[in-house]
Amino acid sequence: MASLDFEYEELEFKAFHAAHASLLKTLCDGLQLKIAGLLYGHPGLQISKIEGRVKDRDECIRKFSGKYRNALEEQNQLFAIKDHITDLLGIRIVCLYEDEIRQVADLVRPSFGVIEITDKIAKVEQTDDFFGYKGLHMDLAFSTADVGIAVDTILPVRQFELQVRTIIQDSWSVLDHKIKYKKSIPGSLKRRINVLSALFELADREFRQIRDETEAGLQSAPDETALQDSPIETPVLAQEGYVKGELNAFTFLKIANHFFKDFTFEPYKVDTFVESIKDWSPDITRTEFNSIVRQKIGVVKRYKQFFEERNENLNFNPYTVIRHCLYLGDKAVFNRALRKTAQEAFDAWLAQNTPIEKCAEA
């Protein structure tokens, strides 16, 4: 029951927190699970993590004291600490890019009751002489159905705070809390803090732009499957300074996706593989690469079938097929594309199938 006695209300809150600790943890886990179901696997979203927490008892009391106590006591207004802690339950969603924050909010919001939304992104961006924490906070109402518990359960709280941030924003928030003094300090230190915050904001923007330009590069990469090099570079590639005829991740994928339409080429593997090809043959062009694969893939696919029929637990993935194509295209240049045992097995098969190979290349 509310009163004007802070010491009494502090004890009441501590008792409330302890009595409901187990149920609060259950509610937090249920909210985290529900939100994960709404977001994970959603196309176009890259979620780094979803985490939940029950706010520490003493942290709640400190927040109340710093934010509400003086005003309530000055107004001689009765209070209960728990009524002013809207973030006793908290869920944090960390995504990769800033433009995903709105997507996350739009996906989560319809499943809960919206109490309040605090847009810290807009607040910071509207202030031209201040940098700071950016993110989106939403106070949301939930029911027993949302957390998977019995309908007749008496809920100690009926709302939670949802924070949506990027990885960069999350990192800044953690580091920002470690800076002990940020207001009553010399101007030179304030400027350094603001510069540091600005660098984090710039990193967020650059990561998003690199993602967008990478996607544009993939879409604009020249099509080598027409068997000849295009005399005109696309505007995106030209703007980014790509060398005419260069074999890079973008042009590799354009070619590889043509020959292996049902295979997903993971970016980190593409990066490593393309660098290996350029290490084996530093001057190889995308046209030369396409030509080798196009001319040799028929032979290699027949060897692939032969190999897999005799090795039930082994199979050729597209990278292995391409390695064999390169080796067959120029055994001296691409000697390192295959291990010695693989070379010997392939060469032995080729020796028995020379007429087939010659016919295929004719």
Side-chain angles (χ1 to χ4, degrees):
M1 189 172 180
S3 73
L4 288 171
D5 187 339
F6 175 75
E7 285 72 21
Y8 172 79
E9 292 301 331
E10 182 178 13
L11 291 174
E12 284 289 295
F13 180 77
K14 288 180 178 179
F16 165 82
H17 197 285
H20 295 95
S22 178
L23 179 54
L24 289 171
K25 179 65 168 58
T26 298
L27 296 177
C28 189
D29 291 344
L31 288 168
Q32 188 174 342
L33 186 63
K34 180 178 177 67
I35 290 171
L38 294 172
L39 299 179
Y40 280 134
H42 194 278
L45 267 185
Q46 299 186 67
I47 303 299
S48 173
K49 63 181 176 180
I50 299 174
E51 56 188 9
R53 64 100 182 97
V54 177
K55 198 177 188 75
D56 177 74
R57 179 196 67 183
D58 293 335
E59 187 179 351
C60 290
I61 295 171
R62 285 194 296 270
K63 178 178 179 178
F64 174 83
S65 297
K67 193 171 182 180
Y68 304 108
R69 180 182 176 184
N70 288 342
L72 290 168
E73 289 180 343
E74 285 175 5
Q75 296 167 15
N76 205 34
Q77 185 175 334
L78 301 178
F79 62 83
I81 293 176
K82 70 179 181 64
D83 295 337
H84 295 272
I85 306 300
T86 59
D87 61 342
L88 185 56
L89 298 178
I91 304 294
R92 180 177 301 155
I93 301 169
V94 180
C95 50
L96 297 192
Y97 303 103
E98 197 169 17
D99 57 0
E100 293 177 330
I101 290 177
R102 305 291 180 192
Q103 290 178 258
V104 168
D106 290 342
L107 287 169
V108 172
R109 191 168 50 230
S111 297
F112 300 97
V114 177
I115 299 171
E116 185 179 4
I117 297 177
T118 305
D119 189 347
K120 293 180 180 288
I121 298 173
K123 181 180 178 181
V124 171
E125 291 181 346
Q126 289 169 5
T127 308
D128 58 11
D129 62 348
F130 171 76
F131 298 96
Y133 166 72
K134 296 172 69 176
L136 188 68
H137 289 193
M138 296 190 290
D139 290 333
L140 303 173
F142 68 93
S143 67
T144 53
D146 294 319
V147 290
I149 61 175
V151 177
D152 59 352
T153 302
I154 299 175
L155 297 175
V157 292
R158 292 182 174 274
Q159 70 181 76
F160 70 101
E161 182 187 68
L162 179 69
Q163 298 179 355
V164 191
R165 306 171 175 174
T166 66
I167 287 178
I168 300 295
Q169 292 167 359
D170 193 47
S171 299
W172 169 252
S173 176
V174 173
L175 293 171
D176 183 54
H177 279 82
K178 299 299 181 182
I179 301 174
K180 294 182 179 179
Y181 308 104
K182 290 175 283 190
K183 296 180 180 179
S184 300
I185 59 175
S188 60
L189 284 179
K190 283 185 180 179
R191 283 193 296 274
R192 288 170 65 182
I193 293 172
N194 285 349
V195 167
L196 180 61
S197 177
L199 289 173
F200 274 75
E201 184 175 334
L202 179 63
D204 238 341
R205 186 182 309 159
E206 286 297 307
F207 274 119
R208 186 179 71 247
Q209 291 179 353
I210 288 170
R211 177 206 61 187
D212 293 343
E213 290 174 22
T214 297
E215 292 302 318
L218 287 170
Q219 294 297 321
S220 304
D223 187 358
E224 296 301 324
T225 58
L227 310 186
Q228 60 182 5
D229 202 354
S230 172
I232 301 175
E233 298 295 324
T234 64
V236 170
L237 293 177
Q239 179 182 347
E240 293 303 317
Y242 292 115
V243 178
K244 185 178 180 347
E246 179 187 15
L247 179 67
N248 54 45
F250 299 161
T251 52
F252 170 87
L253 282 171
K254 182 75 77 170
I255 295 165
N257 284 328
H258 171 78
F259 290 108
F260 307 97
K261 292 181 172 62
D262 298 325
F263 185 79
T264 300
F265 289 89
E266 298 177 77
Y268 78 96
K269 290 184 179 179
V270 170
D271 249 356
T272 303
F273 192 61
V274 172
E275 286 305 298
S276 294
I277 295 173
K278 293 168 77 171
D279 181 46
W280 302 330
S281 178
D283 298 324
I284 190 171
T285 66
R286 61 182 188 246
T287 303
E288 291 167 345
F289 172 74
N290 175 71
S291 180
I292 291 172
V293 175
R294 178 179 56 83
Q295 291 176 18
K296 305 302 181 183
I297 195 167
V299 175
V300 173
K301 282 186 174 180
R302 285 197 296 276
Y303 176 65
K304 174 180 183 294
Q305 182 179 358
F306 167 84
F307 180 88
E308 290 179 347
E309 286 175 353
R310 286 156 179 76
N311 300 272
E312 294 182 1
N313 297 323
L314 300 174
N315 59 70
F316 272 37
N317 64 32
Y319 291 107
T320 307
V321 172
I322 293 172
R323 284 175 177 272
H324 280 75
C325 288
L326 292 172
Y327 174 76
L328 184 57
D330 192 322
K331 294 182 180 181
V333 172
F334 296 106
N335 181 63
R336 288 180 291 162
L338 296 179
R339 294 179 180 177
K340 188 173 182 181
T341 54
Q343 290 180 14
E344 292 172 350
F346 190 32
D347 286 338
W349 181 87
L350 289 171
Q352 297 176 0
N353 293 272
T354 302
I356 298 177
E357 179 189 349
K358 289 183 176 179
C359 289
E361 293 179 358

